[in-house]
Amino acid sequence: MRVCKLPPLGIGTFQLKDAANLYAVIDTALGCGIRLIDTAQCYRNEEIIGSFIGDLLKKHSLERSDIKIISKLAPKNHGTAKAREAVENTFRTFGGFVDVFLIHWPGVSKIKSDNPVVRDLRKESWQVLESFYRAGTVGAIGVSNYTHKHLVDLFEYCCVKPSVVQNEFHPRYIEQDVLNFCHNNDIQLMGYSPFGQGDLLRDKDILSIAEKHQTVPSQVLIKWCVQQSVICIPRTSKTERIKDNFVGISDFELDCSDMEVIEGLNDNHKYCWNPKFVI
């Protein structure tokens, strides 16, 4: 299996659809040294990113091989025929190649989450991704929003092991079983919503640790992910916040007491969609 090692930090693009703003966000992120861009069919911004990414690479004196682009199969596109067509459309948008392609959601749009056909369609979609992986048009494949149960199920039929699992991950929602599964199987875990939709940026313990290290709360939360070997992809529409998030992130380390305090915030609180009811 080919190894697609991803950088520890990336930029999310969920809800970013304005072309000028999206350009500015990715431009700023590249200027801060970020080399991982996360998008998805559901975000409806793949074509926008594809239209200017070449120009931004030239601006920052980068080659296409210097960055990683991640996309995700929409829940409405599960199943052999739909998945193949949808993935090919994304490939065309990005010049015939995507670094990482994920299944976005274990469920299927407009089908009840407990319907057994969901598992069958999910399996078909994975087999489509495997075929593109073998053809070399995608560098790595993986899944998003999969619980431990879904990952165990995937390992019952997959021929190509997932390289990436992208899930909600922050101090208030730590899926230790998923984290352990990924580490034990050499899978890269990627965390989205690291700030808990902004709530954690105002948490008194996070603020105290940020003051201790003379940094900002967002960097404490990002660092907490990275020090657990979890790739972190914060999202913002404001370019100044991108600089706050990333500039100087290597200048400090969280100590054991910091990590313990942060982990103590875990109360199994999920901010985003919950896949636990999907068969």
Side-chain angles (χ1 to χ4, degrees):
M1 188 175 76
R2 296 188 303 274
V3 176
C4 182
K5 184 66 176 174
L6 299 177
L9 300 173
I11 189 76
T13 64
F14 175 55
Q15 294 181 325
L16 303 184
K17 297 178 185 178
D18 178 80
N21 178 239
L22 194 50
Y23 181 98
V25 163
I26 296 178
D27 182 22
T28 303
L30 291 174
C32 291
I34 299 303
R35 298 293 181 261
L36 174 64
I37 301 166
D38 179 72
T39 183
Q41 294 169 354
C42 284
Y43 299 172
R44 300 181 181 178
N45 59 18
E46 289 181 320
E47 290 188 2
I48 300 172
I49 295 171
S51 71
F52 62 63
I53 193 64
D55 292 337
L56 280 181
L57 291 177
K58 290 179 182 177
K59 177 179 178 180
H60 292 274
S61 301
L62 297 170
E63 301 292 334
R64 174 60 182 84
S65 59
D66 292 325
I67 67 168
K68 304 292 185 185
I69 294 176
I70 297 176
S71 191
K72 297 182 279 293
L73 182 76
K76 68 178 182 179
N77 293 327
H78 271 299
T80 302
K82 288 183 177 180
R84 182 167 294 278
E85 181 181 4
V87 173
E88 287 176 342
N89 286 339
T90 294
F91 285 155
R92 281 191 288 271
T93 297
F94 290 112
F97 179 82
V98 174
D99 298 279
V100 183
F101 221 110
L102 310 178
I103 290 178
H104 203 156
W105 179 250
V108 183
S109 296
K110 299 182 179 179
I111 298 180
K112 288 186 177 180
S113 59
D114 60 351
N115 189 326
V117 75
V118 166
R119 183 182 184 273
D120 296 333
L121 291 171
R122 186 168 72 227
K123 179 179 178 180
E124 289 181 17
S125 297
W126 182 258
Q127 291 170 336
V128 168
L129 291 189
E130 287 186 333
S131 70
F132 283 115
Y133 174 81
R134 293 190 189 97
T137 46
V138 60
I141 55 178
V143 295
S144 182
N145 298 296
Y146 271 42
T147 65
H148 181 265
K149 172 190 72 175
H150 297 132
L151 291 172
V152 171
D153 178 57
L154 173 61
F155 266 57
E156 290 181 1
Y157 57 77
C158 70
C159 295
V160 178
K161 187 174 71 174
S163 290
V164 179
V165 171
Q166 184 189 109
N167 282 5
E168 180 178 349
F169 191 82
H170 50 73
R172 292 193 66 186
Y173 191 73
I174 305 170
E175 291 181 291
Q176 196 62 50
D177 54 354
V178 171
L179 183 63
N180 292 341
F181 187 94
C182 289
H183 287 172
N184 291 338
N185 289 282
D186 295 321
I187 299 170
Q188 299 168 93
L189 181 59
M190 181 179 298
Y192 69 81
S193 292
F195 308 147
Q197 295 186 346
D199 282 358
L200 288 163
L201 297 175
R202 298 180 290 273
D203 180 87
K204 62 180 179 59
D205 290 319
I206 300 298
L207 288 167
S208 176
I209 293 171
E211 183 178 5
K212 169 183 171 181
H213 292 282
Q214 297 183 320
T215 186
V216 292
S218 62
Q219 290 205 5
V220 170
L221 293 163
I222 292 170
K223 199 71 169 184
W224 175 79
C225 288
V226 172
Q227 286 187 204
Q228 298 179 85
S229 299
V230 176
I231 299 166
C232 191
I233 51 168
R235 180 205 68 88
T236 180
S237 62
K238 301 184 184 302
T239 56
E240 62 272 18
R241 288 185 182 169
I242 296 172
K243 295 175 182 177
D244 287 343
N245 291 344
F246 298 126
V247 175
I249 191 72
S250 300
D251 294 343
F252 74 100
E253 293 286 323
L254 299 175
D255 59 35
C256 292
S257 63
D258 297 329
M259 298 294 285
E260 185 176 344
V261 168
I262 295 171
E263 287 161 14
L265 299 175
N266 185 25
D267 59 359
N268 204 37
H269 183 89
K270 209 173 192 310
Y271 290 91
C272 306
W273 49 356
N274 194 337
K276 71 176 183 179
F277 300 110
V278 180
I279 189 171

